Amino acid sequence: MRLAHLWDQSKCIGCGACIAACNAANYKSTDKPNPTWGGLQTNIKRIMFDLKEKPYLLLVQCQHCENAPCVAVCPTGASYIDKDGLVKINPSLCIGCKYCMTACPYGMRWLEPVLGLPEKCMGEECQTRIKNGLQPVCVTVCPAGARAFGDLDDPKSEINKRLKSGRVIKLLEYKGTKPKFFVVVGR
């Protein structure tokens, strides 16, 4: 099994429901800031580009790379890839060295301010949901259907259907990380 995320930029309405849901589910609706990215404590980063003619929105989260630099540099094994292909952090093994934060070419790890340990997608609530056969909260709450999550090894999965029906890119693919976060940029 190789679980992956898809975000359809061509369907996204920029409402931020996924960001708010991640904050509510994984960080108990805290209004404390994410000191690394600014804004709410969430695992989804909103990036806006001002392209003069038209603004461009990019919602990014952990790429769950098959060749994850964050895992390769972790001196304690706290960062690892689980049996489903998701990149995770075991907080009981993490020493807070921040090597994983530095190694991630996507900048998708952030520092939780109280414990001083890195955070990332998937949060605890989303991990529990997946274990129980449910979708991550960001997928569930999206009113535009711009998100999908599923098994790349299952040809009948929703994510595979959507990968075949649109123009898809992977971010920074040239870095050799083999990301499993897909962005649909058109039909």
Side-chain angles (χ1 to χ4, degrees), residues 159-177:
I159 195 166
N160 271 320
K161 291 175 189 172
R162 292 181 65 179
L163 285 170
K164 292 175 186 163
S165 67
R167 285 186 327 175
V168 178
I169 64 168
K170 294 181 186 181
L171 304 175
L172 303 178
E173 193 170 11
Y174 68 92
K175 296 274 188 180
T177 60

Side-chain angles (χ1 to χ4, degrees), residues 16-24 40-42 44-46 59 138 141:
C18 57
I19 293 169
C22 179
N23 171 265
L40 290 175
Q41 288 188 5
T42 179
I44 302 169
K45 185 176 182 180
R46 176 191 298 261
L59 296 178
C138 60
V141 302

Side-chain angles (χ1 to χ4, degrees), residues 53-67:
E53 302 87 32
K54 178 181 165 184
Y56 185 82
L57 171 69
L58 188 60
L59 296 178
V60 188
Q61 60 204 66
C62 178
Q63 309 288 296
H64 294 285
C65 303
E66 292 185 68
N67 185 24

Side-chain angles (χ1 to χ4, degrees), residues 11-90:
K11 284 186 174 184
C12 182
I13 58 174
C15 68
C18 57
I19 293 169
C22 179
N23 171 265
N26 295 300
Y27 302 101
K28 300 182 181 17
S29 296
T30 183
D31 60 356
K32 294 176 185 168
N34 173 330
T36 307
W37 301 343
L40 290 175
Q41 288 188 5
T42 179
N43 297 321
I44 302 169
K45 185 176 182 180
R46 176 191 298 261
I47 302 170
M48 287 293 299
F49 299 96
D50 183 8
L51 301 178
K52 298 193 186 204
E53 302 87 32
K54 178 181 165 184
Y56 185 82
L57 171 69
L58 188 60
L59 296 178
V60 188
Q61 60 204 66
C62 178
Q63 309 288 296
H64 294 285
C65 303
E66 292 185 68
N67 185 24
C70 58
V71 171
V73 301
C74 182
T76 65
S79 289
Y80 67 100
I81 299 175
D82 77 0
K83 65 179 176 49
D84 296 328
L86 296 175
V87 176
K88 294 185 176 178
I89 302 172
N90 179 344

